[in-house]
Amino acid sequence: MRRLLVAVLASLAALGPGGAGAAPPGGDADPLLADLATGSADQREAAVTALGQTGDPRWLALLGALRDGAVFARTRGGRTEVVVAGTKSTRGDEDLVEIQSAYARASLGVVAVADLAEVAADRRLRLAIKPFLDAEEVRGQLRDADPAVRRAAAVKLGHQASPAAAPGIEATLAAEGDRWVRHALAEALALIHLADPDPARRAAAARRLGELRSMNAVAALQRLAAAAASAAERAAAARALKRIERWTLLTTSLETAFQGASLASILVLMALGLAIVFGLMAVINMAHGELMALGAYSTFVVQNWFRAVAPASLDLYFLVALPVAFLVAAAVGVALERGVIRRLYGRPLETLLLTWGASLIIQQGLRLWFGAANVDVAAPRWLSGGLPVMVGLTLPWNRLFIIGLAAVAVIAMYALLFRTGAGLRIRAVTQNRAMSACLGVRAGAVDAVTFGLGAGLAGLAGCALTQIGNVGPSARTTSSTRSWWW
Amino acid sequence: MTVYSRRDFLKGSLAAGAGLTAGVGLPRILAAQAKDPIKIGVLHSLSGTMAISEVSLRDVVLMAVEEINEKGGVLGRKLQPVVVDPASNWDLFAEKAKQLLLQDKVAVVFGCWTSVSRKSVLPVFENNNGLLFYPVQYEGEECSKNVFYTGATPNQQLIPAAEYLMSKEGGGYKKFYLLGTDYVFPRTANKILRAYLRAKGVPADSIEEEYTPFNHQDYQTIVGKIKRFASGGNAAVLSTINGDSNVPFYKEFANQGLRSENAPIMAFSVAEDELRGMDTSALVGHLAAWNYYQSVDTPQNRKFVQAFKAYAKKQNLPGGDRRVTDDPMEAAYFGVHIWKQAVEKTRATDVDAVRKAVYGQEFVAPGGKIKMDEANHHTYKPVLIGEILKDGQFKIVSRSKGLVKAEPWSEYTSPDKGCDWVKHKGTYQKKA
């Protein structure tokens, strides 16, 4: 009973708005610290509990340091003092460490490690520390600026379903503005009430969870539906389950449709350039995968340039990388076409062999220049995370972006080929090269532009794919870049 | 890097040719008495898919050799490393191993990463009585007289990790999603994990198992499944995903709104060296289980990390002083030192003598003191659970009490089998 009371008090202190409560100033805690350093196992645990119950962030920080093994004791003038270790260094054979006072974290200078005795946190002590630090962590997360962090904290509270947390959740709920965090908080609250001693309240909580379409509550509701004492509860739980089930079916279907659309858009992006080159020029471009890799590496280079020159606007690098990737790949494509491919038009086998050779050269070149290991392309913040559409369905931004990009690319290609003069010339050369040349179309230039366009689209695809897969010299062989039919 | 001229090469070939013809007749003892260098083999892929991981092992073995040579070598003889490149090609591993043992006559070989490469060289070492130090955690179920395993067995990595997740301290998780790359290590690891979880009372419907091919990139469906699996809370992912599939997996995991607070991923194949080429932002807060981290705070380790960075810079290795150390590298490093101590104990490089001298050998490795088992060819190691930090390093959140004895045969899948080369001949049947 006492333990329960302690837990309740602790959670209240932890979840209360200010949280500071009645913190003992450094002096009052001295006996506790002495217990911590030299006491028996029971005294040590009691000391940790007492420090944790203060809810004072500074004491909690000390407990965190204790768990990490950074708390030491030293004896000076017959008094034992508890200190926190900071950065370590070595001078000659001696290991030195910078130490700070336990509460105020005032620097106490640098001392030899040998002069300190570690206040070891054994398993029992770590277990005693954990709830305080967890509560502190959740409290911090519930105040985080990022709604995704707040939402995760709320979901965690729901999983724990600890009755002591309910008042804190209600207070947070009243002040919360984000719709999805509110939903997670309401869900957590209902999950807590689902274990209430009052049957009517349990039934109400079950109904509420049904209204919330809470996937997280399915297991708890199933237990209630099977084992609850009153028929009202069982009925409420069963109804809620039915509701959640129907909702889950809906979200799962939508999710599957979205996944299909996302996969299709990736394939479209990859295949579009290939199709243009093959369809219009009858050249099977085996180097398409490498042109994509070039686009991906251009993205990497642009990112590094931003990191070095304009770290503040790093998030914008991707917008710059898109056209750069297009242009780099298009330039290589045009060079390839003007340099060699144009000499082999009408000989499909030879162009196949030739582009395959080009692909090997590009691949090895990338390996020589950037190394064999994959390089890391960070996702800009605006492409990380997802858009919560409805309860149980979050659509990742990077995939939404690629679907959008694929749609724009397809529409732009259509407009270019069927709505502009250049497109007309491309189609004319495709249908009858000799006749178009007779009529004054520069067939050679049209070939170069078309090939460059196809290559540029490959570069664009490569840039977009950095947000989903890896960037490495052998990118073409990895499964998501299956722009070929094997 | 040494540059050989054509003349050196000719001289070398002539000498080797002469040695081959003469070596048959001449008593071996002559060669041993001379202050010739002792040849040791380094059998790690320097090209192909595994190069990303294995090149670092070659580097750290050569660093250990250089350290030993600077202090006067072994028994007054310098060590001369013979580095070969099996190119991530499993058949080539056996061929190169044969070359090292029969042609170069090396005293010991440090090498292999993947289990399939180890299985490929195993008959070569057993038929020619060679000696291999294998530095990577693996799936167990092996007990060869000619191999010393300095990496972890399942009970030194997999089981403690699952135990940690189930404990109150680790979060008290009750449902487990076993996700891996489709090859021998993840399959065996998950077989053992499943047996362990079942033995600890986890119902069968609370365990999911799934595999993806090497290089798999599109994890949206699988993460969707994990999300539904984890929706009731108390669920964790045990991941044996290898190589570059990890980046898209963790990215998708974060993007679909799953976070380490609610569904942590415990990884068995992600270490500091792999994190070097990754954008770690999506991995922060997830867990890994190893026996060593670069962040282990001991004077030996600080020295080791600094020495390796300095070595990488001096040798102009790619990455220079931004290189990191990790678990297999530490195991490869102390393997060289264990072998050296054993040779000094017997005062010979003869494989059978060295083998017996390795038993019970102790060494203060960078991650703390380790000890070779007295009979089963494996290593007593500490077990550490780490949390991934933003800078690609690990914060150690749990460590085993003392050293854990290696059990090549897991008590959960093969309770009747044991491994002992002193009282038995390798793998034996335990009496009921």
Side-chain angles (χ1 to χ4, degrees):
Chain A
M1 190 60 216
R2 197 176 136 247
R3 191 173 255 185
L4 182 73
L5 196 69
V6 165
V8 169
L9 280 174
S11 325
L12 276 180
L15 282 167
D28 292 0
D30 271 356
L32 291 179
L33 291 181
D35 277 356
L36 194 59
T38 52
S40 67
D42 285 336
Q43 282 172 326
R44 277 154 58 91
E45 191 177 348
V48 162
T49 312
L51 288 176
Q53 276 163 6
T54 62
D56 184 336
R58 280 170 183 269
W59 286 130
L60 292 173
L62 178 71
L63 294 186
L66 181 61
R67 189 180 59 174
D68 294 344
V71 173
F72 292 85
R74 67 168 174 174
T75 316
R76 268 206 324 187
R79 257 184 82 238
T80 305
E81 186 184 13
V82 171
V83 294
V84 180
T87 42
K88 286 189 180 166
S89 53
T90 325
R91 191 175 58 201
D93 281 346
E94 211 176 22
D95 283 315
L96 300 177
V97 64
E98 188 224 329
I99 54 169
Q100 299 166 332
S101 61
Y103 183 77
R105 292 295 173 96
S107 179
L108 298 175
V110 177
V111 298
V113 174
D115 296 342
L116 301 173
E118 186 182 346
V119 180
D122 53 15
R123 198 179 148 72
R124 186 171 157 195
L125 221 50
R126 285 208 302 273
L127 280 179
I129 294 171
K130 190 175 162 57
F132 297 119
L133 290 186
D134 279 357
E136 166 74 2
E137 201 186 350
V138 169
R139 191 174 52 167
Q141 283 167 347
L142 279 177
R143 281 201 303 256
D144 199 281
D146 181 1
V149 175
R150 296 205 297 276
R151 193 175 171 195
V155 171
K156 191 174 176 182
L157 284 173
H159 288 332
Q160 288 167 346
S162 133
I169 296 177
E170 271 164 6
T172 321
L173 186 59
E176 177 59 55
D178 184 272
R179 185 180 154 210
W180 300 104
V181 185
R182 286 183 66 85
H183 179 271
L185 285 167
E187 188 182 36
L189 207 54
L191 274 167
I192 291 169
H193 289 156
L194 204 60
D196 206 89
D198 176 11
R201 218 160 166 197
R202 285 205 297 268
R207 273 194 298 279
R208 179 89 184 103
L209 285 168
E211 283 164 23
L212 290 168
R213 276 110 181 164
S214 161
M215 271 279 283
N216 288 326
V218 170
L221 285 172
Q222 273 167 349
R223 276 197 301 276
L224 196 69
S230 73
E233 276 175 75
R234 281 201 299 277
R239 233 185 352 262
L241 276 174
K242 194 110 204 158
R243 239 176 138 165
I244 296 168
E245 214 169 89
R246 274 205 302 270
W247 185 258
T248 312
L249 191 67
L250 176 69
T251 53
T252 319
S253 329
L254 286 176
E255 200 181 337
T256 310
F258 176 77
Q259 286 171 357
S262 149
L263 197 60
S265 67
I266 292 171
L267 291 174
V268 162
L269 258 186
M270 290 193 297
L272 196 56
L274 196 71
I276 287 170
V277 171
F278 181 59
L280 296 186
M281 309 168 72
V283 169
I284 300 176
N285 183 11
M286 297 285 284
H288 194 74
E290 276 63 37
L291 291 168
M292 283 173 48
L294 275 177
Y297 273 102
S298 312
T299 314
F300 173 66
V301 170
V302 170
Q303 170 201 262
N304 286 355
W305 185 83
F306 263 80
R307 253 189 206 153
V309 178
S313 42
L314 182 63
D315 271 350
L316 298 177
Y317 87 85
F318 197 66
L319 294 179
V320 179
L322 278 170
V324 170
F326 183 90
L327 291 175
V328 168
V332 173
V334 169
L336 204 61
E337 200 274 343
R338 285 291 89 184
V340 276
I341 294 177
R342 72 183 167 116
R343 296 168 212 282
L344 295 171
Y345 277 132
R347 294 158 69 180
L349 274 182
E350 279 85 344
T351 47
L352 194 100
L353 212 57
L354 178 89
T355 48
W356 186 47
S359 84
L360 293 180
I361 293 173
I362 298 176
Q363 207 180 99
Q364 289 305 325
L366 289 173
R367 196 165 276 151
L368 279 176
W369 190 264
F370 292 99
N374 289 345
V375 296
D376 75 301
V377 175
R381 239 171 308 163
W382 50 277
L383 278 182
S384 319
L387 171 75
V389 185
M390 48 205 258
V391 177
L393 184 63
T394 304
L395 303 183
W397 283 115
N398 57 355
R399 294 189 182 270
L400 284 172
F401 178 81
I402 286 180
I403 292 177
L405 188 69
V408 168
V410 168
I411 292 168
M413 279 322 291
Y414 175 81
L416 181 74
L417 287 178
F418 293 94
R419 293 280 182 272
T420 66
L424 189 66
R425 281 192 288 280
I426 291 176
R427 283 183 294 141
V429 172
T430 311
Q431 280 171 15
N432 194 329
R433 174 176 293 265
M435 188 48 114
S436 331
C438 272
L439 293 174
V441 176
R442 286 164 55 208
V446 168
D447 285 337
V449 166
T450 314
F451 201 88
L453 203 62
L457 282 171
L460 202 64
C463 179
L465 287 179
T466 57
Q467 299 306 312
I468 290 197
N470 288 305
V471 182
S474 50
R476 63 128 3 111
T477 53
T478 55
S479 63
S480 82
T481 51
R482 251 179 300 183
S483 61
W484 280 97
W485 45 82
W486 59 74
Chain B
M1 285 281 148
T2 327
V3 180
Y4 291 101
S5 70
R6 191 181 304 176
R7 187 173 297 168
D8 285 338
F9 176 75
L10 280 176
K11 261 198 252 167
S13 325
L14 281 176
L20 271 181
T21 37
V24 186
L26 276 178
R28 288 270 166 78
I29 206 125
L30 266 182
Q33 275 173 345
K35 286 283 179 189
D36 293 347
I38 305 175
K39 280 190 182 173
I40 61 164
V42 182
L43 182 65
H44 285 298
S45 301
L46 310 179
S47 52
T49 32
M50 288 312 296
I52 294 174
S53 305
E54 288 193 62
V55 165
S56 295
L57 296 191
R58 175 207 56 184
D59 295 341
V60 82
V61 166
L62 293 186
M63 178 179 102
V65 167
E66 194 187 274
E67 275 178 18
I68 290 170
N69 281 342
E70 270 169 16
K71 287 186 185 150
V74 180
L75 303 177
R77 295 165 69 186
K78 296 264 188 231
L79 298 181
Q80 183 193 344
V82 182
V83 181
V84 291
D85 176 16
S88 313
N89 174 339
W90 319 137
D91 300 329
L92 203 54
F93 263 93
E95 230 170 87
K96 293 282 178 190
K98 213 176 229 168
Q99 179 200 324
L100 285 174
L101 292 181
L102 299 182
Q103 196 179 315
D104 295 310
K105 303 218 181 306
V106 297
V108 59
V109 175
F110 300 93
C112 297
W113 179 295
T114 58
S115 288
V116 47
S117 69
R118 191 190 65 252
K119 296 276 186 205
S120 153
V121 300
L122 207 56
V124 178
F125 278 91
E126 287 179 350
N127 294 340
N128 300 296
N129 198 23
L131 188 59
L132 171 71
F133 275 78
Y134 174 69
V136 183
Q137 39 72 254
Y138 82 117
E139 67 281 0
E141 312 203 339
E142 202 175 284
C143 175
S144 169
K145 190 169 132 190
N146 300 88
V147 183
F148 281 103
Y149 306 81
T150 55
T153 52
N155 76 307
Q156 292 173 314
Q157 189 197 22
L158 306 173
I159 304 291
E163 200 178 348
Y164 172 76
L165 285 175
M166 291 168 86
S167 75
K168 211 173 136 195
E169 194 188 348
Y173 293 96
K174 293 186 176 65
K175 294 168 77 182
F176 297 90
Y177 204 100
L178 314 182
L179 181 62
T181 302
D182 199 359
Y183 75 107
V184 57
F185 170 67
R187 288 259 176 197
T188 320
N190 286 343
K191 186 178 79 182
I192 293 167
L193 279 169
R194 179 184 283 273
Y196 170 77
L197 293 170
R198 297 285 287 124
K200 293 289 162 197
V202 177
D205 62 355
S206 295
I207 306 173
E208 274 290 329
E209 201 172 325
E210 178 135 20
Y211 297 92
T212 56
F214 267 108
N215 286 325
H216 189 75
Q217 308 263 310
D218 200 335
Y219 277 93
Q220 56 174 350
T221 328
I222 288 174
V223 171
K225 268 196 233 169
I226 295 177
K227 203 171 158 183
R228 275 188 287 282
F229 180 78
S231 63
N234 282 327
V237 181
L238 297 171
S239 157
T240 35
I241 295 181
N242 268 257
D244 56 8
S245 297
N246 275 302
V247 182
F249 170 57
Y250 281 94
K251 248 187 209 172
E252 188 70 42
F253 200 80
N255 283 346
Q256 291 205 20
L258 286 165
R259 296 178 58 92
S260 58
E261 290 92 344
N262 299 321
I265 305 170
M266 173 73 80
F268 299 113
S269 301
V270 177
E272 290 90 333
D273 213 27
E274 282 79 34
L275 290 176
R276 238 174 1 124
M278 291 188 193
D279 165 26
T280 45
S281 53
L283 283 76
V284 173
H286 290 294
L287 303 163
W290 289 108
N291 311 93
Y292 164 88
Y293 295 104
Q294 183 180 316
S295 55
V296 166
D297 194 18
T298 62
Q300 288 88 1
N301 187 41
R302 280 200 293 274
K303 230 173 83 189
F304 172 63
V305 174
Q306 266 168 18
F308 183 69
K309 284 178 189 285
Y311 178 81
K313 202 172 174 186
K314 193 181 80 188
Q315 301 286 331
N316 249 331
L317 302 175
D321 57 2
R322 278 176 294 119
R323 290 286 289 270
V324 293
T325 59
D326 65 12
D327 179 282
M329 287 169 70
E330 192 232 16
Y333 174 81
F334 75 66
V336 181
H337 283 277
I338 289 285
W339 174 80
K340 167 187 177 259
Q341 289 180 8
V343 170
E344 280 168 349
K345 190 176 161 198
T346 59
R347 310 206 55 78
T349 57
D350 171 65
V351 167
D352 287 314
V354 170
R355 190 162 59 78
K356 286 188 184 110
V358 169
Y359 297 156
Q361 201 65 247
E362 290 182 0
F363 180 69
V364 184
K369 195 161 101 176
I370 55 97
K371 184 181 160 199
M372 298 307 290
D373 194 273
E374 279 87 355
N376 74 13
H377 279 234
H378 288 70
T379 314
Y380 279 84
K381 308 187 86 170
V383 185
L384 309 171
I385 311 282
E387 200 182 291
I388 302 176
L389 299 175
K390 181 103 189 131
D391 60 358
Q393 291 294 321
F394 289 85
K395 179 179 135 189
I396 298 166
V397 293
S398 164
R399 60 178 80 223
S400 63
K401 244 194 189 123
L403 299 179
V404 179
K405 183 185 162 77
E407 284 165 14
W409 293 100
S410 167
E411 58 177 307
Y412 295 100
T413 48
S414 319
D416 53 337
K417 284 187 181 158
C419 170
D420 191 322
W421 279 102
V422 175
K423 288 192 210 107
H424 301 266
K425 287 197 154 64
T427 298
Y428 67 97
Q429 290 289 322
K430 282 183 187 163
K431 285 183 194 106

